[in-house]
Amino acid sequence: MSRFVHEVPMRWSDMDAYRHVNNSAYLAYLEQARVAMFFDRHTGFEGGTIIARHEIDYLRPVVYHPEPLRVEAWIERIRGAGFTVRYEVKDGGVIAARALTLCVTYDFANDRPRRLTDEERDVLRSFGDDGSP
């Protein structure tokens, strides 16, 4: 098992008045990687997933350039009705940010969290972190 890697293009409009990528753009970068990780490649999460929490540590500023950022993602913890996704956002091989997202599987028809299925657990386990990209 190894980290999931997704290349995320920056947009010129991601920069703010201080001439670096605005902190709010990182949520979109994480979302793009998470969607590619689960929904673009697996159908097991169609039952519903919501975001309960985000945490982001900004380690260095990033200035727009045409090369994409590298987002490495892995599953840190699996619980009964949720899981934690960890990320490292890299700019030219240097970690620019570290983040986590707490995801909760959700039953929208009954408006409440639902337990992870065996299929979902198998998918999540495939994204463990062995420390190498």
Side-chain angles (χ1 to χ4, degrees), residues 70-116:
R70 178 185 175 103
V71 179
E72 297 179 9
W74 63 97
I75 302 304
E76 179 181 73
R77 187 173 188 183
I78 302 171
R79 301 182 102 177
F83 54 95
T84 302
V85 183
R86 284 276 183 180
Y87 315 84
E88 287 182 348
V89 179
K90 295 184 178 182
D91 179 20
V94 178
I95 300 172
R98 287 192 175 103
L100 73 80
T101 300
L102 175 58
C103 302
V104 176
T105 46
Y106 204 78
D107 180 346
F108 288 101
N110 293 308
D111 197 27
R112 63 184 178 89
R114 64 175 178 80
R115 299 208 43 95
L116 284 156

Side-chain angles (χ1 to χ4, degrees), residues 31-84:
E31 178 185 52
Q32 289 175 48
R34 197 172 53 253
V35 166
M37 185 178 192
F38 297 120
F39 302 103
D40 288 355
R41 292 173 175 78
H42 301 283
T43 59
F45 286 88
E46 293 176 357
T49 305
I50 60 172
I51 304 305
R53 179 182 184 88
H54 287 296
E55 290 181 20
I56 304 175
D57 294 320
Y58 304 97
L59 305 175
R60 62 184 295 270
V62 173
V63 177
Y64 172 83
H65 50 76
E67 296 81 25
L69 297 173
R70 178 185 175 103
V71 179
E72 297 179 9
W74 63 97
I75 302 304
E76 179 181 73
R77 187 173 188 183
I78 302 171
R79 301 182 102 177
F83 54 95
T84 302

Side-chain angles (χ1 to χ4, degrees), residues 1-2 36-39 41-45 74-75 78 83 116-128:
M1 294 186 294
S2 63
M37 185 178 192
F38 297 120
F39 302 103
R41 292 173 175 78
H42 301 283
T43 59
F45 286 88
W74 63 97
I75 302 304
I78 302 171
F83 54 95
L116 284 156
T117 66
D118 290 340
E119 180 185 15
E120 289 168 335
R121 287 179 183 283
D122 289 343
V123 169
L124 293 171
R125 285 186 196 107
S126 75
F127 294 117

